[in-house]
Amino acid sequence: MVILMFSCGRNTLYDESVVIPNAKWDNENMPFFDVAVDDTLTDYAFYLNIRHLDSYRYSNLFVFMHTVFPNGNIAHDTIECTFAMPDGRWMGKGSGSMRSAKILLNPALRFPLKGNYHFEIEQAMREKELNGIVDIGLCFEKQ
């Protein structure tokens, strides 16, 4: 697993991304992130960071996020990431053929427990291999 820094902000608890090999995300490849949490009083903005190519053929991306809490409880969420306006123009920042999307999942997340949180992200599109996704990551910014 290759990890990149996505540069979320100055006050971050966690900010890492994983490269998707050859920008082809197989639905069996589930990038994961382990986040150590010591503070259960601070609110964090929770972001999903995704870089994709202009050649990505969809205006959105569906992912399943699987979260394992420090006490062993598991949560599963379905997330839709919108990449384009209704007229087809890409949202997010970019240069050349690359676009970066910073998707806010929760503006004020407060971790309920101290300990290690394990996040796995599974692509949930209808294709086994999804072309054009370069990397994916998580970011938690202090509020």
Side-chain angles (χ1 to χ4, degrees):
M1 175 183 338
V2 177
I3 297 177
L4 300 173
M5 293 306 290
F6 201 91
S7 186
C8 209
R10 292 185 314 178
N11 258 342
T12 60
L13 167 69
Y14 186 86
D15 183 8
E16 291 189 7
S17 292
V18 173
V19 171
I20 303 299
N22 302 313
K24 294 180 181 184
W25 193 3
D26 186 289
N27 63 2
E28 293 180 15
N29 173 11
M30 290 191 284
F32 65 89
F33 306 90
D34 290 316
V35 181
V37 174
D38 294 327
D39 183 355
T40 60
L41 301 177
T42 301
D43 289 339
Y44 294 92
F46 179 20
Y47 293 96
L48 182 62
N49 293 325
I50 303 171
R51 288 193 315 157
H52 65 90
L53 301 173
D54 280 344
S55 60
Y56 181 69
R57 64 186 278 193
Y58 301 104
S59 63
N60 65 350
L61 168 69
F62 280 93
V63 298
F64 299 131
M65 183 173 298
H66 311 288
T67 307
V68 180
F69 291 77
N71 62 2
N73 288 347
I74 300 173
H76 303 282
D77 295 296
T78 302
I79 301 164
E80 180 182 11
C81 307
T82 302
F83 293 153
M85 303 279 209
D87 66 4
R89 287 181 295 135
W90 291 118
M91 297 165 38
K93 297 179 180 181
S95 64
S97 64
M98 185 88 63
R99 296 284 173 248
S100 297
K102 184 176 177 180
I103 298 154
L104 180 63
L105 301 179
N106 188 332
L109 171 71
R110 187 172 292 173
F111 290 97
L113 303 167
K114 289 183 180 183
N116 190 51
Y117 288 76
H118 180 81
F119 298 90
E120 286 186 357
I121 302 173
E122 177 182 0
Q123 73 98 333
M125 299 294 278
R126 294 182 180 175
E127 295 182 18
K128 178 175 175 25
E129 188 175 83
L130 190 59
N131 290 308
I133 302 296
V134 177
D135 56 57
I136 189 160
L138 298 182
C139 173
F140 297 91
E141 287 182 351
K142 286 184 183 181
Q143 294 300 293

